Amino acid sequence: MTARLRLQPEAIGMGMTSQRVRDRLIERLRGNGIRDERVLNAIRTVPRHLYVDEALATRAYEDTALPIGHGQTISQPWVVAKMTEAILDGASPKKVLEVGTGSGYQATILAALGMEVYTVERIGELLRTARKRFRSLGLNVRSKHDDGRIGWPEEGPFDAIVVTAGAPALVDALKDQLGPGGTLVAPVGNASSQSLLKLRKQDDGSIEQTDLAPVVFVPLLSGLVD
Ligand code: SAH
């Protein structure tokens, strides 16, 4: 898969956050077990500093979650890498659903890897900002303002589903929208600690579950916010 980004020099922002700073992030991810070169390359290419407030742009290539307003965060690069690697492991997902658009960064990484991305966000203002980013980078990401716990039934089944907010249990509606051979990654647990779970739906419909890592995500909530 190749990167599908239309990047203008000003969008890449090479002056502000040098290639050296980005390369250091890639080495850190590698050191922390990320092996898939396609994923590392997408993270190297996508300008993460455009997904946070200007005041935080200088911290955009640290391996850390950062605030994006409304009490939400852009996920830590390692977590984005781990989830992306999990859905690519032994599979080539084409149609992918993300629950929790947030800044739009994870959706952009998936789109940069050539996937057809559908993303759902409950906070309208975050979604509007993310859509501007998709547009300015020339990405064709489909999005809707809705409760992602219902998934996107009209567009399912999906080859992969990435849930970027934590819940005490896996949501059945999302499992149902996973196609045969499909992979779902989701943080499951209580507010202070979750496990990043990977579920693969076998051809006979049974599900194989793997615990990838302990993680901390913002909660998956109900109800829409403007
Ligand atoms: N993937 C995002 C991470 C954002 S944090 C990124 O790359 O920046 C998780 C996001 O999930 C938040 O924006 C939060 O508002 C959203 N969220 C929480 N519950 C949700 C739900 N039920 N439906 C859709 N989005 C939800």
Side-chain angles (χ1 to χ4, degrees), residues 51 68-70 72-75 80 83 98-107 119-123 126 144 146-150 162-166 217-224:
Y51 290 77
I68 54 171
H70 299 268
Q72 306 305 318
T73 53
I74 179 173
S75 305
V80 172
M83 293 203 287
E98 179 196 31
V99 175
T101 315
S103 67
Y105 179 70
Q106 170 80 69
T119 183
V120 187
E121 171 58 55
R122 65 180 282 273
I123 301 178
L126 290 180
K144 70 168 176 166
D146 208 343
D147 183 341
R149 294 178 310 167
I150 60 165
V162 175
V163 183
T164 71
F217 276 79
V218 295
L220 190 69
L221 300 171
S222 59
L224 299 190

Side-chain angles (χ1 to χ4, degrees), residues 13-222:
M14 290 309 293
M16 183 163 64
T17 48
S18 70
Q19 195 58 50
R20 195 166 47 85
V21 172
R22 294 181 189 205
D23 288 345
R24 212 181 296 143
L25 170 62
I26 301 306
E27 287 322 308
R28 194 186 158 100
L29 295 177
R30 240 190 253 284
N32 286 325
I34 305 300
R35 295 276 174 267
D36 191 319
E37 291 298 327
R38 297 166 295 181
V39 174
L40 292 167
N41 203 32
I43 291 181
R44 189 187 286 111
T45 313
V46 172
R48 189 169 184 259
H49 65 275
L50 300 180
Y51 290 77
V52 294
D53 205 74
E54 258 178 74
L56 289 170
T58 54
R59 300 193 56 200
Y61 299 95
E62 292 175 17
D63 189 21
T64 179
L66 293 167
I68 54 171
H70 299 268
Q72 306 305 318
T73 53
I74 179 173
S75 305
Q76 181 192 350
W78 183 83
V79 166
V80 172
K82 194 76 184 162
M83 293 203 287
T84 310
E85 205 172 54
I87 65 166
L88 284 172
D89 179 23
S92 10
K94 289 184 184 68
K95 195 171 187 182
V96 181
L97 173 70
E98 179 196 31
V99 175
T101 315
S103 67
Y105 179 70
Q106 170 80 69
T108 299
I109 295 289
L110 300 174
L113 284 159
M115 297 177 219
E116 188 185 322
V117 184
Y118 294 77
T119 183
V120 187
E121 171 58 55
R122 65 180 282 273
I123 301 178
E125 197 182 328
L126 290 180
L127 187 59
R128 287 190 290 277
T129 306
R131 280 176 176 157
K132 282 186 204 148
R133 295 178 176 129
F134 299 147
R135 230 173 292 135
S136 70
L137 291 176
L139 293 169
N140 183 22
V141 171
R142 270 148 273 205
S143 61
K144 70 168 176 166
H145 183 208
D146 208 343
D147 183 341
R149 294 178 310 167
I150 60 165
W152 200 327
E154 305 80 14
E155 292 294 346
F158 296 95
D159 302 321
I161 300 179
V162 175
V163 183
T164 71
L170 286 160
V171 181
D172 283 335
L174 296 177
K175 279 198 248 178
D176 293 344
Q177 286 168 42
L178 199 59
T183 313
L184 183 153
V185 273
V188 175
N190 61 38
S192 57
S193 87
Q194 301 126 16
S195 287
L196 186 61
L197 298 184
K198 172 183 170 187
L199 277 76
R200 183 148 288 172
K201 197 180 257 187
Q202 312 297 314
D203 291 339
D204 65 4
S206 65
I207 286 183
E208 185 191 276
Q209 183 173 313
T210 321
D211 187 339
L212 296 179
V215 286
V216 182
F217 276 79
V218 295
L220 190 69
L221 300 171
S222 59

